[in-house]
Amino acid sequence: MGTIAWAGRKAGGALVVLWLVATAIFIAIRLIPGDPAEAIMGGPGSQASAEALAAARAEYGLDQPLALQYLMYLGKLATLDFGTSYSLKQPVTQIMGEVLPNTLWLSLLALGAAWLLALCFSALAMRANRVGAVIGNILEIIAAAVPHFWLGAVLIMLFSSVLGWLPAVDNGTAKGLALPVLTLALPLAGFLTQLMRDSLSEAMSSQFALAARARGESKLAVFWRHGLRHAALPALSLTGWAFSSLLSGAVVVEAIFARPGLGRSLLSAVLARDIPMVTGIALFSALVYIVVMAITEGIERAIDPAGASS
């Protein structure tokens, strides 16, 4: 498939996915018990009068038929108008613009750290004996299964409370970023290493690897120059999903380390039933997933054109 046709197919698929996500959000929000007008007025504890609630419904179009509300909702989203936050009384795009760089920076650093750790773990596993390989496999499974909230608490206790090396709260410095990044990166690194293990074993026993060894190349050199290219493809194909999972994990990690970002904003919006904020962050997360998946597929096409076109 040509590049232009591939890009067109991706763009069309992205629009469909965003429409489905927006529709699912609209339906889910309407199914939540309670009156959205109360959230607009500050929650059930605001004790707003019936007249004030009716005025809020009229202002936000909540008194219109559901089908008309849906069309108005899609129309605003088409112009990137997510509305005004119920709780913060500011445009959603403005709030997201202020906290977005923090979450993207955290997620990108965690993704890079996870890949670096996965490559190091894979190289060590290749050189380990049978017992070492079994121990490494067990550690990878444990790392991949550890919840972020538990891992974050353990890292804080170890590196902040016991050793005193790193701050327990993100203070905006490089040291403050270390624990949040590790909390996100370690589980993903264990998962990526598991994905690469079987492919790496197959690649290292293939004919081209054996031929390279016969020419005098070391096992480690064959790994970096030949085996890694094939072993990384299965993990690379899931990088889009991995990045989205980091954005999801940021909800917990930003709360644990008191770091401002989309995660903490989403958590606060859900608790306050702030529909515009929830909608904006959810749609942005879906868009990020689509873009990263497209970039990942593009990299795969560059690495393995034959496999990508099949």
Side-chain angles (χ1 to χ4, degrees), residues 114-130:
W115 265 104
L116 180 61
L117 290 171
L119 293 176
C120 292
F121 292 160
S122 297
L124 291 174
M126 181 200 64
R127 302 189 65 179
N129 55 28
R130 185 181 297 273

Side-chain angles (χ1 to χ4, degrees), residues 23-308:
T23 301
I25 293 172
F26 180 86
I27 294 172
I29 287 174
R30 267 60 187 181
L31 292 177
I32 296 175
D35 187 354
E38 287 187 347
I40 297 173
M41 299 303 296
S46 64
Q47 297 181 345
S49 64
E51 292 78 10
L53 292 175
R57 294 189 194 98
E59 181 181 353
Y60 286 87
L62 298 174
D63 58 345
Q64 300 296 325
L66 196 60
L68 182 57
Q69 289 186 42
Y70 177 66
L71 293 177
M72 293 169 57
Y73 166 79
L74 290 181
K76 288 184 177 181
L77 292 183
T79 61
L80 300 180
D81 180 9
F82 298 117
T84 301
S85 167
Y86 293 166
S87 55
L88 300 178
K89 309 303 180 185
Q90 294 178 350
V92 171
T93 51
Q94 177 183 335
I95 298 171
M96 290 177 58
E98 293 172 355
V99 299
L100 173 61
N102 294 332
T103 299
L104 285 183
W105 183 234
L106 173 64
S107 300
L108 287 172
L109 285 176
L111 182 63
W115 265 104
L116 180 61
L117 290 171
L119 293 176
C120 292
F121 292 160
S122 297
L124 291 174
M126 181 200 64
R127 302 189 65 179
N129 55 28
R130 185 181 297 273
V131 175
V134 172
I135 294 174
N137 193 26
I138 293 174
L139 292 177
E140 292 159 15
I141 294 173
I142 294 174
V146 168
H148 289 120
F149 68 87
W150 184 88
L151 179 59
V154 170
L155 292 178
I156 288 174
M157 181 179 66
L158 177 60
F159 291 102
S160 181
S161 301
V162 177
L163 298 175
W165 292 350
L166 299 170
V169 176
D170 187 354
N171 56 10
T173 65
K175 281 189 173 183
L177 261 177
L179 290 183
V181 168
L182 277 177
T183 302
L184 282 174
L186 283 174
L188 180 57
F191 182 72
L192 292 176
T193 307
Q194 286 183 291
L195 284 178
M196 289 192 291
R197 178 181 292 275
D198 292 339
S199 298
L200 179 61
S201 177
E202 181 179 347
M204 293 300 291
S205 60
S206 62
Q207 291 297 324
F208 70 84
L210 295 176
R213 292 295 305 278
R215 292 194 299 269
E217 292 189 36
S218 67
K219 190 175 182 179
L220 192 59
V222 173
F223 165 77
W224 288 112
R225 295 180 59 183
H226 303 286
L228 183 61
R229 176 173 176 267
H230 296 275
L233 281 174
L236 184 62
S237 65
L238 289 177
T239 297
W241 167 86
F243 190 75
S244 296
S245 72
L246 292 177
L247 289 177
S248 301
V251 175
V252 176
V253 171
E254 288 175 351
I256 293 174
F257 294 97
R259 177 180 173 82
L262 282 182
R264 286 187 68 188
S265 298
L266 177 60
L267 182 60
S268 299
V270 170
L271 294 176
R273 204 164 183 250
D274 192 336
I275 295 173
M277 277 296 296
V278 173
T279 302
I281 295 176
L283 282 176
F284 175 78
S285 299
L287 180 61
V288 168
Y289 174 78
I290 292 169
V291 171
V292 174
M293 285 296 292
I295 293 174
T296 301
E297 187 171 334
I299 295 174
E300 287 183 55
R301 289 167 63 88
I303 295 177
D304 187 12

